[in-house]
Amino acid sequence: MADLLVRLRSGLPAEAVITDPDITASYSHDMASFCEAGTPAVVVLPRSAEQVQHVMRTATELRVPVVPQGARTGLSGAANASDGCIVLSLTKMDRILEINPVDRIAVVEPGVINATLSRAVGEQGLYYPPDPSSWEMCTIGGNIGTASGGLCCVKYGVTAEYVLGLEVVLADGRLLTTGRRTAKGVAGYDLTRLFVGSEGSLGIVVKAVLALKPQPPQQLVLAAEFASAAAACDAVCRIMERGHTPSLLELMDGTTVRAVNAMANMGLPDTTEALLLAAFDTPDPAAELAAVGELCAAAGATEVVPAEDAAESEMLLQARRLSLTALEAVKAATMIDDVCVPRSRLAALLEGTAAIAEKYDLTIGVCAHAGDGNTHPTVCFDPADPDESRRARESFDEIMALGLELGGTITGEHGVGVLKKEWLSRELGPVGLELQRGIKRTFDPLGLLNPGKLF
């Protein structure tokens, strides 16, 4: 330990190396439940790529594991510390280095907050679409590490589609540049895409070149109430089948609607078993909403409410924004699943989740990015009750199994981390798992980067 601290401090400012156990303990885990976390030896907060390189060279020489971190808003344990590790927090590397309206790119350090970047590019008439629910807190580096998504993915896609190039510090301290600044480029293997979603297991991102879009018009929102989740999912299928491209298509099941009503008095009828929210940011969103409203009515909507302006749109979206907070109020703790299925199987997943909730006598609310089939079943439980905690974990696993049975994936945007390690092997199969482990060994032969995650 003494040698580690001496070497780290030889290339870092004194304030960048933290050993106070009360402070280092606060860096030990992210926001996931049921994920073990160790005790870090030290927390390091670098401010430059050169300082990150120094940390990795030191870690390699002394064979000390390194756990990269952003804002620790993740939900899979991917940022959890291991015993005796260096926690490498990138939050101090928070500069927006460039915004280029001609090339439509932004160049940023990993600690930039998502919302900060979105507002900065918005001032120049540009748009950075990926918008995780934690966008006011989460960092771009963390978004890249977990390949995060958000509410607008149905139209604009996820983080991976906006990362053009990276600067990455490898496990041995070398600096690798991947990708490009150009609109097109196919030279060599796509190493940039390989790092997106790798959860810090292949290298430390210290700079990112991000694609931007022109700022779209203000979106308008429609809310449709349904007497069953199946009817709401039918409406989703009709909307997508007819070729509509909403900027947002979100679904809340009856359990979530009731939780939001109880917390915020939203005034939704007790008979509402599903609430569907659709939005368009086209030049004529009212016409799009009218067409979608007709499709919702044909699918059995009991009420369809289109917004007339931005203020009404925000009011309708408020229920969705409150979903997780409302479900967290149901019990002392939650486990948030992240199963993504084909849109055509969305109803089967919601119906199956309801059956699992009944089987385990638990409250499980589902909110979903319905437009891309990404669901977030949220298991509410009391961690002080051992039996209820056991049932919560078992129900969580059953939901993941159901997702795979329906042709889906165990994670659409939260990542694998610690929480879903065993499930990753089931999804990939033995050949896929062997190849992925081989890639890990190529980039990190000593196994120092974020050990115990993914595999």
Side-chain angles (χ1 to χ4, degrees):
M1 177 66 174
D3 193 15
L4 172 63
L5 294 180
V6 168
R7 295 200 187 195
L8 287 175
R9 286 170 175 152
S10 69
L12 294 165
E15 67 274 11
V17 181
I18 301 173
T19 58
D20 184 329
D22 291 333
I23 298 176
T24 58
S26 68
Y27 286 84
S28 63
H29 59 86
D30 62 18
M31 297 177 70
S33 301
F34 290 110
C35 293
E36 293 183 359
T39 302
V42 59
V43 173
V44 177
L45 294 96
R47 291 183 178 272
S48 69
E50 291 76 18
Q51 291 179 5
V52 174
Q53 288 182 278
H54 172 72
V55 172
M56 293 313 305
R57 290 186 188 114
T58 300
T60 295
E61 289 170 9
L62 299 180
R63 304 299 195 264
V64 179
V66 176
V67 175
Q69 288 185 352
R72 304 191 307 281
T73 58
L75 293 164
S76 69
N80 284 13
S82 54
D83 285 334
C85 76
I86 299 169
V87 163
L88 184 60
S89 173
L90 285 304
T91 55
K92 298 296 186 184
M93 295 180 65
D94 59 357
R95 294 179 299 162
I96 298 174
L97 302 172
E98 179 185 354
I99 297 173
N100 189 318
V102 175
D103 294 332
R104 293 183 182 172
I105 61 169
V107 182
V108 305
E109 292 182 326
V112 172
I113 300 297
N114 184 294
T116 301
L117 174 63
S118 295
R119 293 184 180 115
V121 301
E123 291 174 359
Q124 299 197 37
L126 298 168
Y127 180 41
Y128 180 68
D131 61 341
S133 296
S134 58
W135 78 306
E136 293 281 6
M137 300 177 288
C138 64
T139 63
I140 295 298
N143 295 168
I144 292 171
T146 57
S148 59
L151 301 185
C152 71
C153 293
V154 59
K155 180 174 183 178
Y156 293 105
V158 296
T159 296
E161 295 168 59
Y162 293 88
V163 183
L164 298 177
L166 296 170
E167 284 190 7
V168 182
V169 174
L170 299 176
D172 58 9
R174 289 178 296 163
L175 185 66
L176 169 69
T177 299
T178 76
R180 63 194 195 279
R181 292 171 57 101
T182 55
K184 296 163 63 178
V186 293
Y189 295 127
D190 190 352
L191 296 182
T192 302
R193 194 67 174 255
L194 188 61
F195 282 103
V196 180
S198 66
E199 301 182 18
S201 65
L202 301 179
I204 314 296
V205 172
V206 292
K207 186 186 294 184
V209 181
L210 305 174
L212 304 175
K213 290 185 175 294
Q215 184 73 50
Q218 178 68 52
Q219 68 179 4
L220 284 183
V221 177
L222 170 147
E225 298 171 18
F226 294 86
S228 72
C233 292
D234 180 31
V236 171
C237 292
R238 291 172 186 245
I239 292 166
M240 302 308 291
E241 184 180 27
R242 292 294 180 88
H244 293 285
T245 308
S247 56
L248 173 151
L249 190 57
E250 297 288 304
L251 186 150
M252 299 159 55
D253 74 346
T255 298
T256 306
V257 169
R258 286 185 283 277
V260 171
N261 260 344
M263 187 185 75
N265 298 315
M266 297 294 289
L268 296 168
D270 292 337
T271 55
T272 300
E273 287 299 325
L275 181 68
L276 187 65
L277 298 164
F280 289 89
D281 58 4
T282 56
D284 186 12
E288 296 269 18
L289 290 186
V292 165
E294 291 178 4
L295 293 174
C296 289
T302 56
E303 186 169 2
V304 178
V305 181
E308 294 186 0
D309 55 32
E312 285 189 16
S313 293
E314 185 57 35
M315 183 179 67
L316 292 176
L317 285 177
Q318 188 63 14
R320 174 63 180 87
R321 298 190 197 283
L322 292 173
S323 293
L324 178 56
T325 303
L327 288 169
E328 288 175 339
V330 172
K331 285 278 188 173
T334 58
M335 285 189 74
I336 305 173
D337 217 325
D338 176 37
V339 172
C340 189
V341 296
R343 283 185 288 262
S344 58
R345 309 307 304 275
L346 192 58
L349 183 69
L350 266 67
E351 290 169 354
T353 299
I356 291 169
E358 183 175 358
K359 173 183 175 180
Y360 287 98
D361 190 25
L362 292 167
T363 297
I364 304 178
V366 182
C367 52
H369 309 310
D372 53 25
N374 194 176
T375 68
H376 296 307
T378 302
V379 183
C380 307
F381 69 101
D382 181 0
D385 182 335
D387 183 66
E388 191 162 284
S389 294
R390 174 191 59 79
R391 287 183 281 125
R393 183 62 206 238
E394 290 180 6
S395 71
F396 185 89
D397 285 343
E398 282 207 20
I399 293 168
M400 282 193 287
L402 174 63
L404 291 180
E405 290 170 12
L406 295 173
T409 175
I410 59 169
T411 175
E413 57 188 6
H414 291 171
V416 175
V418 176
L419 190 61
K420 299 185 176 184
K421 278 172 50 174
E422 64 178 278
W423 285 97
L424 179 63
S425 62
R426 298 191 200 189
E427 179 170 334
L428 295 178
V431 175
L433 191 63
E434 178 186 354
L435 289 171
Q436 297 224 4
R437 285 175 169 163
I439 292 169
K440 166 71 170 171
R441 286 192 296 271
T442 297
F443 282 88
D444 182 22
L446 298 177
L448 299 179
L449 285 170
N450 218 6
K453 315 296 167 47
L454 291 170
F455 312 118

